Amino acid sequence: MPRESVKDQIIAAAVDALHSKGFNGTSVQDITDAAKVPKGSFYNHFGSKEELAVAALDRYWQLVLAGLQPLSDPSTPPMDRLRQYFRRLAERGRTREYRTGCMIGNMSTEMPDQSRAVRERLAVVLAAWSRAIESCVREAQADGSMRRDLDARIVAAFLLNSFEGAIMRSKVDKDAASFAAFEEVVFTALAP
Amino acid sequence: MPRESVKDQIIAAAVDALHSKGFNGTSVQDITDAAKVPKGSFYNHFGSKEELAVAALDRYWQLVLAGLQPLSDPSTPPMDRLRQYFRRLAERGRTREYRTGCMIGNMSTEMPDQSRAVRERLAVVLAAWSRAIESCVREAQADGSMRRDLDARIVAAFLLNSFEGAIMRSKVDKDAASFAAFEEVVFTALAP
């Protein structure tokens, strides 16, 4: 197996640091220290901390994308897939003691007016995430397990945004109450 | 009228700065410069930037609290009050070009693991905010305009968290789509 490149090491360290401390809470030095590479090597690979933030977002998005797969698994009814999907995300919050939250949500709160590049990348990523949820919503409406008087695209965006709000609240309260409220309200109120 | 005290000037400048740039994006110097007071005067009034963040949060919360009043106005049906309340908040986002978002949401994303004092204050503030919404939800359930198979306390927390998620998304997309999705899904799916 090829040795992980310096660039990869920096991106991996950046995902950890940016996820837990945010863009403004992390210096280039923090990242190169964590990656165990000389600070000077940073600018061989990235023009700026902002450019690295985009690369870290892309790396994090790959993880989110992998987690989306069960949403299109035809062996499980679509409404169950949706419920299980959000439960898995909530469970991940619990195992991390509701600390870091979602890096995409964190960046969406901190960075849109600080970096156009990050904002544009966030918009693309959130739109793709919404679309993956939308397909499953559409299937649930088609098989009659979800109410049909709401547009699937709008329901999907609402679910994603609401869940990000639940993550935010769990960071403050350090408990799963916001996730439980999300599940109860969503799956009661969207039933046909 | 008494002259605004130096302490008040610092808090007012801190609300603006922390709201738009976040805790880690703002230095004590940024705040004292904006308040037009000598940097040295800061530590006569506050033990730390963290202590000032709590004071700024309290000041911001007073504004949120004032905005909650129409939620208990008996001359408007409770479901209309809820709809108008969230519309007003969304409208405020629009007039600010979806830039700063909600300071409480921003702090909830950035600060819980950085400052116990801020986290504890956020928990109190969010609980009070939820309770104000809950009273109106309870009235809407009582007059039959909202479905009654969901607990009012849980619906209220869900509405607040979901709206914070919509604010987050509006900062990325720079449009009102997330607020429109919130309104459409919530007021369709919570109808009896």
Side-chain angles (χ1 to χ4, degrees), chain B residues 123-139:
Chain B
V124 168
V125 156
L126 286 165
W129 198 350
S130 284
R131 271 195 307 275
I133 296 169
E134 180 185 337
S135 301
C136 197
V137 165
R138 216 171 276 285
E139 285 185 66

Side-chain angles (χ1 to χ4, degrees), chain A residues 124-142:
Chain A
V124 169
V125 156
L126 286 165
W129 197 350
S130 283
R131 272 195 305 276
I133 296 170
E134 180 186 337
S135 301
C136 197
V137 164
R138 216 171 277 284
E139 286 185 64
Q141 289 181 325

